[in-house]
Amino acid sequence: MEKIREFELSKEYLESLKESVEAEDIAFIRDTMDGANEADVASLLDELDMEDALFVLRVLDKEFAADILIELDEEPQFKIVQEMDSPELASLLDRMESDDAVDILHQLVVKDREEVISFLQEKEKSGHILELLRYEEGSAGALMAKEFIKANLNWTVVQTIDEIRRQAENVEKIYSIYVVDNKESLIGRVALKKIILSSSDTKIKDIYEEDLISVPTYMDEEEIAEIMRKYDLEALPVVNAKNKLVGRITVDDVLDVIRDQAEEDMQAMTGISDDVEESDSVFRLSKARLPWLMIGIFGGLMGARIIGIFDEGLRQYVELASFIPLITATGGNVGIQSSSLVVQSLAAKSVFAESIGKRFAKVLLVAVLNGIVLALLVFGTVVFVYGNKVEFGIVVGLALFSVVLLASFMGTVTPIVLDKFGINPAMASGPFITTANDLLGLAVYFLVAMMLLKL
Amino acid sequence: MEKIREFELSKEYLESLKESVEAEDIAFIRDTMDGANEADVASLLDELDMEDALFVLRVLDKEFAADILIELDEEPQFKIVQEMDSPELASLLDRMESDDAVDILHQLVVKDREEVISFLQEKEKSGHILELLRYEEGSAGALMAKEFIKANLNWTVVQTIDEIRRQAENVEKIYSIYVVDNKESLIGRVALKKIILSSSDTKIKDIYEEDLISVPTYMDEEEIAEIMRKYDLEALPVVNAKNKLVGRITVDDVLDVIRDQAEEDMQAMTGISDDVEESDSVFRLSKARLPWLMIGIFGGLMGARIIGIFDEGLRQYVELASFIPLITATGGNVGIQSSSLVVQSLAAKSVFAESIGKRFAKVLLVAVLNGIVLALLVFGTVVFVYGNKVEFGIVVGLALFSVVLLASFMGTVTPIVLDKFGINPAMASGPFITTANDLLGLAVYFLVAMMLLKL
């Protein structure tokens, strides 16, 4: 990446930064970070101990420190927020947009939160923050900022420019001016481009566009991300039940939502708890991975019990053991395919989605079709290539067919049920559910075999 | 979602639209779609047959039809583009921004592409398109548009506003004005807000910001998405090797890149080929899922052969069969955890990443630690709960330990190797690799058992 003003985001600079913190060389820190981007400095501070990072933040300009604090990774940010006392934290929050301030406050217990708010200097901002804190996390209300520019439809362009000037300090990025009527209802927008190109006495009502997408405060953040992607929006106004404009969501926040969601899904699928990265300590990495591996182990141990039940049959027909991996692996693959298709369609929420009944009929048909193809393939190989008895080929083929049906059904139902209970449906592809499916598959395989072979 | 101007995105409207196309009721189509959002209309046309969708596009205003064509899903868009003749397609491309026009052209074979370009009316645009077509797909050059506003640093604000007026038709969304010197080198930017708030005779050089992030034409689109997320950008200027400003990437394109990447990863992991959705036909869904399931089946059949080799030993020690699912499941879980951590760190490309040697040492340590914990757990259960011989507990524990080490190693190496060969590393969590790991795990399990039990 090339930048006009180069800031050294390198291991070497990180070392000299650590040394300068050690030596309390405040001048070095201030000089080298002058004009740097807050996100770059945050990446550096993420690599420091909490005390060192806090030292750097404290010697920098408060405006800059506030911007950096917002950009820190979850863990270092949490630690630093806990460490600061209320007046210090409040002085930084005073320099943030309301939505960022609320993100920080969410990391404190309610008691500390209120204390910090009492230290805020700007009364308007503390009002905004108290309002935003009321919305449920993950909703449009919690994601929006109270900073935006609105204009009454009877204003002229010059009046609107005055409003922009008045708010210039508070609203970092202006994309559109939102237009409201005398009742403060949102009725449209004017692009900044149009303000520039119109003469100063033009009335807003003559240049605004009615074609505008807004969302209610309770809308879920994932749905918001999909709307902003679909309609190519960089900002989205939020309205309350009376269509009064109450906030604005910007695309940078949505990019973070999408990233966090992807990471959460990945964690649900791989069963890695916590927010671990490859660069974390061995102990932390190990601890994050063990719980889910243990669920798999308990599943495996229970599987051993299930197979143990069929001990006698297995002794007579030891070839049955050879096909255990075939059965469990196919069940697993079918289950993951089914659930990922459901998860995908749950996320898309299309208006044109088919009815539940029709969807299940389709899942069943696909399963029957695939089950037949796979069962025939396995039957053929077992009998004609591996030279087993036809009877045995039928056993393995039929067991496989049953497992494909079962895994399709479980893979389809599980994410829907999880979603109903407010659990991330991606969990359906995770270790817990796949382990349960393995056990079911094993039981079905041996039951079918025992019945057909009359063991 | 609430909108100021309501457009009926409903099953009922879809039905009446189909009827009106059947009856060639052009007035109904034009009236009901007047003022609708292009993305909404595209969602509707995605549900129609190609001929019907084309009919609708042809009766609408060309400007609107061009916007809708851009927003269509991959498959309907491809079909419609193939169906149109060159002058018709060219007349729509004339009304698109250059990057969108290039996306459409990429769907044609080279010969047709050149013919369409020869029909373009605007000579400046066809030059832009020819330039963009030269860049490799997935690079900044291919993602950028040639439409942006630039100003010379010696211009005044009023000169810049004239330039904005001149380009207003071509550049739909202006975020910043890019500032260049006399050699056309990019040296900074001015926010539109600042243009509005400055007096008309202010010089650009007195108000522009030097602090600007730009990317080279060859940068990969995923890296671009991460930069825009990290630095909260809504647009990103692209420069050539001489730092000359050649294009601009906007955040709406990056949102599409992120979505496509997530879908691609999901497909790599679940082994569902093609772009299928739950709403596709049974046959198509079945066909998309079968190839990967078959790979799993062949793996399972080979697994049966491997277990067959140890037939004699298995007859003597039938309990060995019971622990097959434990071994394959744990190997699979460990492998997926390892590879997803690597995939995550490949995507992040941190400056502070540790060296390869250090990373492998860590992977090994984590594997040893987890392997010991899990092996002890299984040993304890097998011996003290299930009442097997100590000797047998050691066999299962040791085999499990080996499989955890092996799966960690394979899970770490595979995505790195895939990435080196330009293959999506997420494939490492897909059916092909997990099947291979299953087989390795089985072989290790039985080899360890046979050696220790002297079978």
Side-chain angles (χ1 to χ4, degrees), chain B residues 231-368:
Chain B
Y231 296 102
D232 295 345
L233 305 173
E234 59 284 301
L236 184 58
V238 181
V239 293
N240 68 12
K242 290 174 181 159
N243 199 35
K244 184 170 171 285
L245 179 63
V246 293
R248 179 184 74 151
I249 296 169
T250 48
V251 70
D252 53 325
D253 295 324
V254 163
L255 283 173
D256 293 335
V257 166
I258 293 173
R259 210 255 318 236
D260 293 348
Q261 185 57 37
E263 279 183 4
E264 207 183 278
D265 284 354
M266 191 56 92
Q267 283 172 20
M269 286 179 71
T270 58
I272 301 181
S273 62
D274 290 336
D275 251 327
V276 290
E277 284 170 29
E278 239 198 341
S279 59
D280 287 326
S281 75
V282 169
F283 185 67
R284 201 173 131 80
L285 277 169
S286 170
K287 216 183 79 183
R289 292 170 63 163
L290 265 181
W292 287 98
L293 291 179
M294 284 194 184
I295 289 171
I297 292 284
F298 281 114
L301 288 171
M302 281 174 67
R305 283 273 100 153
I306 291 175
I307 297 175
I309 298 171
F310 304 101
D311 212 22
E312 273 315 301
L314 204 53
R315 265 178 224 286
Q316 287 180 48
Y317 236 115
V318 80
E319 291 89 346
L320 278 176
S322 311
F323 292 92
I324 293 175
L326 176 85
I327 296 293
T328 54
T330 307
N333 290 343
V334 169
I336 283 181
Q337 287 191 340
S338 303
S339 58
S340 77
L341 278 177
V342 176
V343 169
Q344 188 185 316
S345 83
L346 281 173
K349 281 196 184 118
S350 167
V351 191
F352 306 115
E354 291 153 343
S355 68
I356 289 275
K358 205 170 163 193
R359 279 160 69 185
F360 271 98
K362 219 150 102 178
V363 166
L364 187 69
L365 275 176
V366 173
V368 169

Side-chain angles (χ1 to χ4, degrees), chain A residues 4 174-175 192-194 196-197, chain B residues 147-168 171-181 185-198 202-205 207-214 234-238 245 247-248 250:
Chain A
I4 296 296
I174 306 171
Y175 301 103
L192 217 47
K193 179 171 83 171
K194 218 159 196 172
I196 291 183
L197 300 179
Chain B
E147 290 80 10
F148 52 85
I149 313 265
K150 67 178 177 201
N152 186 290
L153 84 165
N154 292 313
W155 287 3
T156 60
V157 162
V158 75
Q159 278 175 296
T160 308
I161 291 177
D162 282 345
E163 173 68 12
I164 294 173
R165 179 163 294 123
R166 201 178 67 79
Q167 297 263 27
V171 188
E172 201 202 325
K173 289 182 177 180
I174 305 172
Y175 300 103
S176 288
I177 316 291
Y178 297 115
V179 181
V180 295
D181 62 16
S185 285
L186 178 66
I187 55 168
R189 68 182 193 98
V190 186
L192 217 46
K193 178 171 83 171
K194 218 158 194 172
I195 297 284
I196 293 183
L197 300 180
S198 302
T202 311
K203 291 262 188 188
I204 291 296
K205 67 176 159 205
I207 53 171
Y208 83 97
E209 290 167 60
E210 289 184 350
D211 184 21
L212 172 72
I213 293 164
S214 64
E234 59 284 301
L236 184 58
V238 181
L245 179 63
R248 179 184 74 151
T250 48

Side-chain angles (χ1 to χ4, degrees), chain A residues 190-229:
Chain A
V190 186
L192 217 47
K193 179 171 83 171
K194 218 159 196 172
I195 298 284
I196 291 183
L197 300 179
S198 303
S199 62
S200 31
D201 54 352
T202 311
K203 289 262 188 189
I204 292 295
K205 67 175 160 208
D206 297 324
I207 54 171
Y208 84 97
E209 291 168 59
E210 288 184 352
D211 183 20
L212 172 73
I213 292 163
S214 63
V215 295
T217 53
Y218 54 79
M219 185 180 270
D220 181 77
E221 58 184 14
E222 280 175 63
E223 217 171 318
I224 290 164
E226 180 51 24
I227 287 174
M228 294 189 86
R229 191 201 62 75

Side-chain angles (χ1 to χ4, degrees), chain A residues 2 40 43 171 173 175 193 214 230-232 234 278 280 286 289 301 338 345 362 370 386, chain B residues 2 40 43 171 173 175 193 214 230-232 234 256 278 280 286 289 301 338 345 362 370 386:
Chain A
E2 293 173 40
D40 287 333
S43 299
V171 189
K173 291 181 176 180
Y175 301 103
K193 179 171 83 171
S214 63
K230 181 174 177 186
Y231 297 102
D232 295 345
E234 60 283 303
E278 239 199 338
D280 286 327
S286 171
R289 293 169 63 165
L301 288 171
S338 304
S345 84
K362 219 149 103 178
N370 286 352
Y386 292 178
Chain B
E2 293 173 41
D40 287 332
S43 300
V171 188
K173 289 182 177 180
Y175 300 103
K193 178 171 83 171
S214 64
K230 181 174 177 185
Y231 296 102
D232 295 345
E234 59 284 301
D256 293 335
E278 239 198 341
D280 287 326
S286 170
R289 292 170 63 163
L301 288 171
S338 303
S345 83
K362 219 150 102 178
N370 286 353
Y386 292 178

